[in-house]
Amino acid sequence: MPFPADTAGTSPADQRFGDALAVAELPVIMEVERSGANGADLLQDRNAGDLVRRYEELGAPALSVVTGSWFGGTARLLDEVVAETSLPVLVKDFFTKEKQIRQVAEAGAAAVLLAATILPHRLMATLVDACLSHGVTPFVEITSAAELSALTRPEACVVAVNNKDIRTRGSTEPDLDRSHDLLPRVRAAGAGLTVGAGGIATPEEAAALLAVGYRGLLIGTGLLRAADLDTWFAGLRALLPDAESLRQAEPHAPDPDGHPRQAAEPAVRTGAAGRTERAPASSAPSTGAAAV
């Protein structure tokens, strides 16, 4: 399934990030992040290259790297990640200028985070256009339905619902109900692809978001703190339908003849409100919150 972006006036590279998620058997964007919101070391004894190779072994379709200084990131971290992989890479930082987008595009980024919570509407439109002109996917992160009004070209964007509050550096308790509540609004806005992000700690939480229709997940701290990544992903795979059923569940995905698909029955059962209870994490004890 191609990423349904309007490609007029854009580079073919614009779709590389979205396409990787749209066809992925396991649509999890796996993140490289040095520090949590409280300064806790998330890499521990691993370097960026070690983590990238591990994520590739686990089947990551795309990677994310946090270069924001709040979380111990630097521009050099992007260089280290890009040097180790051919997977499309999302860069997470506080982008406010076209020049910043051009620089990370030249460094090899395939997608750029644009945080609707902190960007004025006019600037958001300018930065979305800047992303497309430099051949990177706008990865627009929202926390409320009102922020969707900032999207001028939603069909060309990956739209992520962040369950954390970026204004507190992600240090507050995540609200996964937000992803469940906002998905219909994000779809109605015409988003090219939908992603659930922030505070996803367990395979059960991840599977529940995919079951209700998200086409991708962005997971950072939940993976970086996991005691055993093989066990974590085995748990997720056991809860998921096969890849074809996932694609059928996405209302934007046509069949091979171009006709709309019928929604498949979710493989993960959720409660009456479409949510699951937070299950015990398959991870080491938490020492603090982080961006994702």
Side-chain angles (χ1 to χ4, degrees), residues 26-226:
L26 191 71
V28 177
I29 307 161
M30 304 183 199
E31 189 158 272
V32 177
E33 181 182 2
R34 280 189 172 140
S35 303
N38 64 350
D41 179 12
L42 295 177
L43 290 184
Q44 299 180 19
D45 58 348
R46 303 166 291 194
N47 60 43
D50 293 336
L51 198 54
V52 168
R53 288 186 290 274
R54 186 73 179 99
Y55 285 161
E56 287 184 333
E57 291 172 356
L58 291 162
L63 302 178
S64 169
V65 57
V66 181
T67 59
S69 59
W70 278 3
F71 304 100
T74 64
R76 175 62 183 163
L77 188 58
L78 171 60
D79 294 335
E80 292 174 14
V81 170
V82 169
E84 293 289 341
T85 188
S86 60
L87 294 175
V89 175
L90 163 69
V91 183
K92 292 181 61 179
D93 209 322
F94 295 106
F95 292 95
T96 58
K97 299 177 181 178
E98 182 274 340
K99 177 176 72 172
Q100 296 171 302
I101 293 170
R102 172 175 51 79
Q103 288 171 340
V104 296
E106 291 173 349
V112 166
L113 172 71
L114 300 177
T117 301
I118 62 172
L119 291 173
H121 286 198
R122 184 175 297 179
L123 180 56
M124 172 66 80
T126 297
L127 295 179
V128 166
D129 288 343
C131 285
L132 297 175
S133 68
H134 288 293
V136 296
T137 296
F139 187 96
V140 179
E141 195 173 77
I142 68 161
T143 59
S144 70
E147 292 169 2
L148 287 168
S149 62
L151 288 178
T152 55
R153 297 189 64 183
E155 78 288 343
C157 300
V158 172
V159 179
V161 177
N162 189 354
N163 302 306
K164 291 188 175 182
D165 188 346
I166 195 172
R167 294 166 298 186
T168 63
R169 306 187 186 187
S171 61
T172 53
E173 188 69 18
D175 177 13
L176 268 70
D177 285 353
R178 184 181 298 160
S179 278
H180 291 273
D181 293 340
L182 290 181
L183 179 59
R185 302 290 292 273
V186 175
R187 283 176 167 168
L193 220 152
T194 56
V195 169
I200 303 168
T202 71
E204 292 78 12
E205 289 168 346
L209 291 175
L210 293 174
V212 297
Y214 278 97
R215 286 300 295 123
L217 305 174
L218 173 57
I219 308 180
T221 306
L223 299 182
L224 290 163
R225 289 193 174 134

